Amino acid sequence: MNINPYTGIGLAIILAFVLMALLADIIAPYSPTEASGNVLEPPSIHHIMGTDNLGRDVFSRIVFGSRTILMVVFLAVAISGALGTILGLLTGYVGGAIDRVISFIMDSIYAFPSLILAIALSVALGPNPLNAAIAIALTYVPTYFRMIRGQVLSIKSEGFVEMAKALGLPTTRIIFRHIFPHLIPTLAVVFSMNSADAVLTEAALSFLGLTVQPPTPDWGFDLYKGRGFILAGAWWMLAFPGGMITLLAIGFALLSEGISQSHAVKSFE
Amino acid sequence: MLIVEDLYVKYYTRRGTVSAVSGVSFTMQKGEMLAVVGESGSGKSTLALTIMRLLPRNAVVERGRILLDGIDVLKLSEDEMRRIRGSKVSMVLQDPFTTLDPLRRVIDQFIEFLMEHGLDRRSAEKLALEALESVGIPKTLAYSYPHQLSGGQKQRVAIAMAIALKPSLVIADEPTTALDVVVQKQIMDLIDTIKRGGTSVMLITHDIALAIERADRIMVMYGGEVMEIADKGTIMSRPLHPYTQGLLASIPRLGSDKIPESIPGYPPDLRNPPKGCVFHPRCPYADERCRSIKPQLIEVEKGHWVKCHRVVKA
Amino acid sequence: MGLARYVIVRALLIIPTILLLYTLVFIVLRVLPGNPVLAALGTKNIPEEQLQAIMRELGLDKPLYQQYIEYLVNFLRGDMGYSMVVRGRPIASDITDRFPATLELSIWAIIVSFVLGVGIGYVAGRSRSSIVKHLARLYGSITYVLFIPALGLFLQLVFGLWLKVLPTGDRLSPGIYIKPITGMYTFDALIQGDLVAFIDAVKHIILPALTLGLVLSGPFTRLTLDNMEKVMESKIVIAYRSRGIREEAITRHVFRHTLIPVVTYLGLQFALLLGGAVLTETTFNWPGLGTYLVDKIMYRDYTAIQAVIIIFAFLVGLISLITDVLYALIDPRVRYQ
Ligand SMILES: Nc1ncnc2c1ncn2[C@@H]1O[C@H](COP(=O)(O)OP(=O)(O)OP(=O)(O)O)[C@@H](O)[C@H]1O
Ligand SMILES: [Mg+2]
């Protein structure tokens, strides 16, 4: 099989971060929450990414911080994907007034800035990683809903669904056995693109102090703290957390680019 | 006034080279209407686009010469060619829904066209309105957007633009296929009037009945080649090529209960054209010679050219 | 004629959307959390009577449906209530103070993103090199996922700390004063012909606008590029050419077609813009609604948070109306439907 270069690079980046999160205890040279050197040491062989304002090893915080962001992102994408897909399948299939009302609600939410909605939800739910995941998940439900519903509407009119109906198959069976499988490729693209968005939203919530409490390591929050030491020239407190967030998001973006390219090519042939 | 000599055009694609026009030669006189007839894929549009020099980038003119009023069209620079388009040779495209820019008013597009060919704004507007009037488009419609016009009205506008600068040649590529029957007749009547000013008309169509009804002469194309050329009367009374005969037999006739026969088989794959005569796989009379040797286009009687081994020069 | 009616119809259609968003925000912020006053004061040891008094003062003792309606009515009259934390401070005046800064940042960011995004897409669309097109697409997908604070802080490091050519925060240098007219300093300085102040204001807005604009430019690039390619192959182009219209003019006309999806996208882009503005402002200490919102979040000042978020809901509605109108201006077919 021929893997698209974008897909390959994207997957490699994501897998590297997943491994980092899984093997954090082995990879990290120091504790992420306790001082292991002087305050604000620039990168050196002892601390390859330097130390922060409390003398903690930035690299170790990056390694452990990958756990927070990946957990929140995967949880959020799973929840919103499941909710949005189920809602989209059902309302798209059933149609009628319910469909119109739900679509209207979803469209309105979709038009609203997702970050601001996530902020509002996090504030209301209280700042912790689980709530951040729920907040992010809820803001992205419309993304899946709209995509799935649109696809269901177009697939619904095709012959095989009519046939299944004529055979008297139960609705849920038609939906999950006959319609859902056709949506998987599109879902894959949306999942990876949405993961990139979720990475950015998680980082943003963290940056605003809405995800973790200190001293838990978290890229977005560490970046926010690093911002206070920019005048001290502690660029390493900014560059590494900021770079990791960007790299992870780019990984997901490349993956979605790759998947959608392979699909476009296939549908041409 | 139009002389096309030994023209070869190929399209280069990822899946091979398409020989869309192969060895086409013919002439057109001032003020005559020549119908180019043939099935889909026979290279009619390619021929038209070659004369207009509007071929897509993957097309190459391999050989041949096109003389329009003595001008060697294929030798002109891009800019010289641009100046000729619309003024010396113009085109009416098949689909009126895509010939006008939906975002701009009809009159603005017309004025832009005329100003591009050297008129000032005032006289351009005046001429545009006159030209539109002459094809039955009133002033109010001139100042509206294309989507407010019907398909027939849009095609009228296209014709008005095509003839406004009194070109020597107007090429109409299936100008009526996108329209309903009643409108088709009106548009064809309008095209008939183009000839009056001494302009020649090349009418491209797959409908031989329409060609017989309207044209002075008919050129039959198949697989990118010319099969037969003659004036309308000759084609009707003495069609010599089996393909022309097949096309004529496929015309439904009023008051006859003979079911029109269509020609069996499919047009050739021009990426890989048949050896010998391109028509032989579908020809009821094909023999060994037809399968191996390509026939020449020969003049069997004055003005009647045929490309078939079975006809011998009288 | 057609246009006016179209605008009115669209405006009426926006109302339910705004109402829905208001309801949503109301539910999230008023119904979900426990006692907002307790949360705001951050302590539970307040005498019951005092708590009741504060609740009454803020109108929080009334039944929810009444709060829902009264808040909306007051909001439409420009009364957004009082801060829970800085007691006695009307939120509306905070917001009028802050809004111009956000608007100014947004306008410049949109300009930057439009010029960068559409410009790169246009150049790549006209280019015959497939490598250029590939790079443009890559630019589009990568800028889209840049993390605004990371990008902003990076630019601050480079231009502010190392090159020392641009300031890293705030809207004006100390000692520079611009008499507010619109409250948007770059424009105010221009109106008053104050060149020194203008240059200072521009210097301050370059980095924030660039950060936000760069991140927003990606989708424009991709849309412009894809549509240029599509339209350049369309029959309209052949038709123009067959009339002898010169290529530059054709490209100009075709460009209008590629703008249709771009403008439609502008509406969606605005949601991103507002979210991005919150982050950009925080990154650059830009005293707009975004930093205001973040400040209020730190203090759990619910009335203020609610007001800002509802303002955002109104802005979203307003912008979607504006894009509809722009759309109709570009494409005459829309007006007459
Ligand atoms: N841009 C192109 N690239 C590759 N091949 C092409 C291209 N345009 C046309 N062809 C091929 O060239 C041949 C001649 O096409 P052309 O459009 O000239 O035929 P036509 O007689 O006008 O047919 P129709 O009646 O369908 O319009 C066909 O085999 C067609 O597939
Ligand atoms: Mg054709």
Side-chain angles (χ1 to χ4, degrees), chain B residues 40-56:
Chain B
S40 188
S42 55
K44 307 182 296 288
S45 297
T46 306
L47 175 62
L49 291 175
T50 311
I51 297 170
M52 292 295 292
R53 288 257 309 263
L54 287 174
L55 286 167

Side-chain angles (χ1 to χ4, degrees), chain A:
Chain A
M1 204 180 80
N2 216 338
I3 290 191
N4 179 299
Y6 289 134
T7 315
I9 299 171
L11 271 180
I13 294 173
I14 297 162
L15 283 180
F17 280 117
V18 170
L19 277 179
M20 183 192 265
L22 291 176
L23 306 176
D25 298 292
I26 302 169
I27 296 173
Y30 303 101
S31 155
T33 50
E34 274 156 39
S36 55
N38 290 327
V39 168
L40 295 183
E41 268 183 55
S44 65
I45 22 166
H46 302 292
H47 298 282
I48 53 169
M49 295 184 182
T51 61
D52 69 6
N53 57 317
L54 298 174
R56 297 174 300 197
D57 181 42
V58 172
F59 177 61
S60 303
R61 287 189 67 79
I62 291 283
V63 171
F64 277 95
S66 64
R67 287 187 169 174
T68 318
I69 192 164
L70 284 177
M71 194 190 73
V72 172
V73 165
F74 286 137
L75 203 59
V77 172
I79 297 174
S80 57
L83 272 181
T85 306
I86 293 173
L87 263 181
L89 279 174
L90 290 179
T91 60
Y93 187 79
V94 174
I98 302 175
D99 177 45
R100 251 171 284 142
V101 171
I102 295 188
S103 299
F104 172 68
I105 295 177
M106 290 289 162
D107 284 348
S108 304
I109 300 180
Y110 187 77
F112 196 74
S114 57
L115 177 61
I116 290 166
L117 196 58
I119 290 175
L121 283 163
S122 303
V123 169
L125 296 170
N128 68 52
L130 180 65
N131 287 343
I134 295 175
I136 298 171
L138 291 181
T139 56
Y140 286 123
V141 168
T143 309
Y144 292 91
F145 172 85
R146 285 162 53 101
M147 189 277 290
I148 294 287
R149 178 176 167 275
Q151 297 264 334
V152 169
L153 290 186
S154 68
I155 292 177
K156 213 166 89 172
S157 53
E158 281 176 24
F160 65 96
V161 177
E162 300 287 322
M163 203 144 82
K165 257 195 218 163
L167 290 173
L169 293 179
T171 310
T172 48
R173 204 185 141 104
I174 297 178
I175 293 177
F176 287 100
R177 280 287 175 75
H178 298 272
I179 294 185
F180 185 65
H182 291 262
L183 304 179
I184 290 174
T186 328
L187 262 180
V189 177
V190 181
F191 257 123
S192 41
M193 196 57 232
N194 183 230
S195 301
D197 280 336
V199 166
L200 298 175
T201 312
E202 195 280 346
L205 291 181
S206 301
F207 188 77
L208 302 177
L210 290 169
T211 311
V212 296
Q213 304 294 334
T216 315
D218 181 30
W219 298 348
F221 194 57
D222 285 2
L223 181 66
Y224 181 74
K225 278 180 312 181
R227 180 178 168 260
F229 298 91
I230 188 169
L231 288 173
W235 56 269
W236 56 91
M237 284 185 69
L238 307 169
F240 295 111
M244 293 301 146
I245 294 165
T246 306
L247 193 59
L248 182 57
I250 287 178
F252 281 114
L254 289 179
L255 178 63
S256 95
E257 175 77 23
I259 301 178
S260 60
Q261 273 186 9
S262 332
H263 271 312
V265 172
K266 247 184 235 146
S267 64
F268 257 108
E269 258 146 20

Side-chain angles (χ1 to χ4, degrees), chain B residues 121-246:
Chain B
R121 176 167 290 278
R122 284 240 331 272
S123 41
E125 183 160 5
K126 189 159 158 281
L127 178 56
L129 288 174
E130 280 167 17
L132 287 170
E133 176 101 56
S134 74
V135 297
I137 298 289
K139 206 169 166 176
T140 48
L141 279 181
Y143 286 91
S144 49
Y145 286 94
H147 68 97
Q148 293 163 306
L149 273 58
S150 70
Q153 286 168 333
K154 277 186 227 182
Q155 203 60 309
R156 282 169 190 275
V157 173
I159 291 170
M161 286 206 210
I163 58 177
L165 293 175
K166 307 215 177 342
S168 331
L169 175 64
V170 172
I171 304 174
D173 189 355
E174 317 240 11
T176 57
T177 26
L179 306 171
D180 64 57
V181 186
V182 181
V183 183
Q184 276 185 16
K185 186 179 169 331
Q186 296 167 353
I187 295 295
M188 279 316 302
D189 289 344
L190 196 56
I191 287 179
D192 270 342
T193 65
I194 297 178
K195 291 193 300 180
R196 272 185 226 143
T199 297
S200 318
V201 180
M202 180 189 274
L203 173 71
I204 294 179
T205 175
H206 53 256
D207 181 357
I208 193 160
L210 181 77
I212 287 172
E213 187 187 332
R214 302 284 177 172
D216 304 313
R217 278 197 309 141
I218 294 176
M219 172 162 104
V220 178
M221 283 185 75
Y222 182 83
E225 299 179 26
V226 175
M227 296 285 112
E228 187 161 7
I229 308 178
D231 58 55
K232 164 169 78 178
T234 311
I235 288 281
M236 265 163 61
S237 55
R238 292 190 301 285
L240 288 179
H241 198 284
Y243 179 61
T244 314
Q245 292 164 0

Side-chain angles (χ1 to χ4, degrees), chain B residues 52 54 57 82 85-86 91 93 98-104 109 112-113 116-117 145 147-148 161, chain C residues 128 235-236 238-246 249 253 256-257 260 330-333 335-336:
Chain B
M52 292 295 292
L54 287 174
R57 261 192 262 148
R82 187 179 59 69
R85 284 188 207 120
M91 199 163 173
L93 297 164
T98 53
T99 28
L100 291 171
D101 188 335
L103 302 188
R104 305 172 61 217
Q109 302 187 46
E112 177 194 36
F113 157 57
E116 192 75 79
H117 290 286
Y145 286 94
H147 68 97
Q148 293 163 306
M161 286 206 210
Chain C
R128 293 188 175 188
K235 296 226 176 91
I236 291 178
I238 303 239
Y240 270 130
R241 288 199 183 123
S242 77
R243 274 175 238 148
I245 309 294
R246 59 193 71 221
H253 299 319
R256 243 180 109 178
H257 288 256
I260 294 175
I330 296 182
D331 190 343
R333 287 167 293 188
R335 279 172 248 167
Y336 298 92

